[in-house]
Amino acid sequence: MENIREQLSRLVGEALNKASGIADCDPNVITASRPEFGDYQVDGVMAAAGRCGRKPRELAEAAIAGMSDEDSLVASVEVAGPGFINIRLNDQALMARGNEVLRDPQSLIPADSRVQKIVVDQSSPNLAKEMHVGHLRGTVIGDCLSRVLERLGHEVIRQNHVGDWGTQFGMLIAYMRELDREFNKSASLLQTELEDLETFYRAAKDKFDSDPAFADRARLSVVRLQGGDPEYLEAWQSFIDESLRHCQEIYRRLDVGLTLADLDAESRYNDDLEGIIRELDEKGLLQESDGARCVFLPEFKGKDGEPLPVIVQKSDGGYLYSTTDLAAVKMRSFDFEADRSLYVVDARQSLHFRQVFAVAQAADMASANISLEHIAYGTIMGSDGRPYKTRSGDSVKLADLLDEAVARALELVSEKNPDLAEDERRLIAENIGIASVKYADLSKNRMSDYVFDWSTMLSFEGNTAPYLLYACTRIKSLLRKRPQESPTEELTSLEHAEERALLLKILQLPEVVSLVARECYPNLLCNYLFELAGVFMRFYEACPVLKAEPQTRDSRLALALLAEQALEQGLDLLGIQTLERM
RNA sequence: GCGCCCGUAGCUCAACCGGAUAGAGCAUCGGCCUUCUAAGCCGAGGGUUGCAGGUUCAAGUCCUGCCGGGCGCGCCA
């Protein structure tokens, strides 16, 4: 089923095409900016009038006269201002849509008419270290976008492009050998050393920076590793396995859908890199500069207007991030045959991606119709305006961050609802704590930096996860008290403005979801859900449900059921699960 | 120096790819619980959208130039 906006766009668009004589008018239908303008407004008439040289209001009248409305969706239309068309929808049509959703909740968000194959590159931690705050956004935003696209019926290929290769692993292996000169340490002892990967990494790094002889051994280790020495490969694998266990534990806690099957590790491309260089050379794109092999493209200029290189092979023969990414573009284009490839990666890498995409296109490593999109996000800042760090200046481990969120949530739940059993409070706190962190992130415009602030995200007021979860528990509590004899609820009336406003808002969920799928801004969905929760709260305050006359009561229960569906399905797309009580 | 992003209420953020009178939340002040969870609802104050031009019926949104901030720019990822 088309959503309301799509249907109106089609109806008005066709009428506008006919009236203007222009085949491809954009009616530009949006939800009304003010209640007195009705439910939806048409903003595209003025532009169309400009194109065909007619007076906007006159064209608007002509379009209205020629509008067909097979489903009687529209109750009234009027021309307003310089040439807007204000549309008010028919209550019966709204209720019919609502009742359809009651019969089939999944129909609230229908599948896209055009199914695509979409790669979503997400999370992508460096396996040499533990996951830290820097990985939160790419993990959570990537998961949300994957859920949204999957829900619309697209074939989503999640790719976790973990860093599992390169110089730091030489360093780790060399340091492990310091602790256990010939790899003789028992497996369990090694295990304990690796459990705190972060500490291990820092110790190795310190030694690397302070001890030149060790640094040489580290570099040598990289050579042995890349040369395929079985002993070194085994040591490397032990790091990778341990690190992946850490990641999976974080993903499980975050309720993020990434699994080992989604791994797209850098090392996957080891055997392809030589071929990438050869291919660039055959295309005449390769140049040598100071011993490194580079691609120079005219659209990229560096200092003083000099050409800016994309280095694809170091002077020592080693390959780089760019080379691996080119190989990945190729695989996504021609093996996966993806329609879109989304890279949910820090905004600081935008130049890198512009270059990689441009080189891939110049070298025909990207198929002609794949859409390569860098879904960039900003940095999480501390209250000092610097990137979020611990007081001592270290990066904050994601595991610690989640622990603290849950601890703070437990404190608040215990304070607000001391009667609940401790077990239940703990479960609720786990849910709320994690949800708060995720929601605080998803609800911000992904492009901008934001300040990480416990008190606002867990304040349980305003545009936060707790507010939304609370709205859900109110609905669920209401539904639990439904009279036993109540038949299958159905919408039968919309007497109060609050009822109508709630139903309309619920039916707009699919419009927002398709917008998020296109633009990749999860905060649009958060804004919508916050508004939806607000509309529900107002309905809840204004319209008694259980005490109303049976017919009104059942109609309002139907509305509550729909609100529950919209909130639950919307939150699920954010990766947040609802609670029965809190 | 060049490039990308950003500048909106005291604070944190919106504004559906140019639309009508720029919206929320926090904070402040004032109302609403013998009635479905008050983690809530209602109301008030608070703005020259960094500055100056330009494009047009219409600009927070697009263009140009300044001011201020963040990030990036040849062998890390």
Side-chain angles (χ1 to χ4, degrees), chain A residues 375-414:
Chain A
I375 309 303
Y377 55 82
T379 307
I380 301 180
M381 311 294 262
S383 51
D384 57 357
R386 307 292 312 156
Y388 189 56
K389 293 274 164 69
T390 62
R391 212 163 294 163
S392 56
D394 299 323
S395 59
V396 179
K397 287 197 227 171
L398 210 37
D400 293 345
L401 183 104
L402 298 180
D403 283 343
E404 179 159 0
V406 171
R408 285 172 181 259
L410 181 61
E411 218 168 289
L412 285 161
V413 173
S414 303

Side-chain angles (χ1 to χ4, degrees), chain A residues 137 347 377-381 385 444-451:
Chain A
R137 304 207 77 183
Y377 55 82
T379 307
I380 301 180
M381 311 294 262
K444 266 90 185 178
N445 185 312
R446 64 171 163 79
M447 280 302 290
S448 44
D449 299 343
Y450 76 91
V451 176

Side-chain angles (χ1 to χ4, degrees), chain A residues 26-333:
Chain A
D26 175 10
N28 197 4
V29 176
I30 64 171
T31 51
S33 55
R34 303 166 60 78
E36 55 275 31
F37 299 154
D39 299 321
Y40 284 80
Q41 62 186 58
V42 180
D43 290 351
V45 178
M46 280 86 79
R51 288 172 68 189
C52 68
R54 309 233 334 239
K55 288 183 178 156
R57 288 188 64 100
E58 201 181 286
L59 182 61
E61 295 289 1
I64 290 170
M67 220 170 99
S68 68
D69 180 16
E70 69 272 18
D71 301 332
S72 305
L73 175 64
V74 175
S76 65
V77 285
E78 60 176 27
V79 179
F84 297 100
I85 300 174
N86 292 338
I87 298 176
R88 187 175 166 85
L89 302 173
N90 187 325
D91 287 5
Q92 294 304 322
L94 291 177
M95 286 191 285
R97 278 178 175 260
N99 285 325
E100 172 63 32
V101 175
L102 282 169
R103 282 188 291 275
D104 174 17
Q106 291 302 302
S107 72
L108 180 55
I109 307 173
D112 229 318
S113 50
R114 201 171 42 113
V115 172
Q116 294 186 308
K117 191 182 276 194
I118 305 173
V119 173
V120 184
D121 194 312
Q122 56 195 285
S123 194
S124 307
N126 178 351
L127 296 186
K129 295 190 246 186
E130 266 185 68
M131 290 182 76
H132 55 88
V133 265
H135 300 114
L136 179 66
R137 304 207 77 183
T139 303
V140 164
I141 294 171
D143 184 58
C144 172
L145 295 177
S146 297
R147 285 169 184 261
V148 165
L149 294 166
E150 274 161 3
R151 185 66 169 77
L152 291 175
H154 298 295
E155 184 183 339
V156 173
I157 304 173
R158 292 171 182 249
Q159 294 281 271
N160 190 0
H161 199 70
V162 298
D164 72 337
W165 202 244
T167 48
Q168 27 353 4
F169 288 94
M171 185 180 83
L172 293 178
I173 293 170
Y175 188 66
M176 188 156 84
R177 289 188 52 130
E178 298 290 312
L179 299 177
D180 173 19
R181 198 149 288 283
E182 295 301 327
F183 300 113
N184 283 332
K185 193 172 274 185
S186 73
S188 66
L189 196 53
L190 196 59
Q191 181 73 18
T192 44
E193 298 289 353
L194 292 187
E195 255 167 26
D196 192 345
L197 251 184
E198 197 63 23
T199 308
F200 192 91
Y201 178 89
R202 207 171 310 139
K205 182 87 167 79
D206 286 347
K207 194 161 179 68
F208 185 88
D209 291 339
S210 63
D211 181 348
F214 174 75
D216 284 341
R217 286 198 292 280
R219 278 185 277 269
L220 201 66
S221 297
V222 180
V223 177
R224 298 278 292 267
L225 175 64
Q226 296 187 337
D229 183 310
E231 235 179 15
Y232 282 74
L233 274 173
E234 195 187 330
W236 169 76
Q237 192 65 49
S238 69
F239 278 107
I240 301 304
D241 290 347
E242 179 58 22
S243 196
L244 285 174
R245 266 191 291 278
H246 280 275
C247 292
Q248 287 305 321
E249 172 57 18
I250 297 278
Y251 296 152
R252 184 197 63 73
R253 259 193 117 175
L254 282 173
D255 192 16
V256 155
L258 282 171
T259 68
L260 295 177
D262 302 314
L263 280 177
D264 177 42
E266 282 181 299
S267 58
R268 174 187 200 169
Y269 299 101
N270 286 350
D271 296 339
D272 302 337
L273 302 180
E274 198 186 327
I276 294 289
I277 303 297
R278 195 180 330 115
E279 209 174 323
L280 289 170
D281 200 15
E282 282 163 9
K283 295 264 173 13
L285 291 164
L286 209 58
Q287 287 182 44
E288 202 163 301
S289 174
D290 295 334
R293 311 180 91 176
C294 312
V295 178
F296 290 92
L297 291 177
E299 59 261 48
F300 297 102
K301 298 260 192 284
K303 300 180 173 85
D304 308 321
E306 285 169 21
L308 190 67
V310 179
I311 302 177
V312 290
Q313 189 170 23
K314 298 191 284 184
S315 50
D316 68 3
Y319 302 104
L320 293 128
Y321 189 31
S322 310
T323 332
T324 315
D325 272 341
L326 286 171
V329 169
K330 216 179 144 186
M331 174 179 278
R332 292 167 192 193
S333 283

Side-chain angles (χ1 to χ4, degrees), chain A residues 450-515:
Chain A
Y450 76 91
V451 176
F452 190 88
D453 181 9
W454 289 114
S455 61
T456 52
M457 92 176 65
L458 279 159
S459 76
F460 292 53
E461 278 163 358
N463 189 6
T464 62
Y467 177 82
L468 296 180
L469 292 172
Y470 178 62
C472 288
T473 60
R474 275 187 142 181
I475 300 175
K476 285 174 183 297
S477 169
L478 193 58
L479 295 174
R480 275 197 302 272
K481 292 176 180 153
R482 236 186 315 187
Q484 296 288 318
E485 76 279 8
S486 183
T488 310
E489 288 84 359
E490 195 182 353
L491 291 166
T492 50
S493 71
L494 295 175
E495 297 171 49
H496 284 73
E498 286 83 358
E499 294 174 286
R500 191 177 186 283
L502 179 55
L503 177 57
L504 180 58
K505 197 75 189 175
I506 290 163
L507 295 174
Q508 287 168 339
L509 174 59
E511 301 173 14
V512 179
V513 173
S514 59
L515 191 63

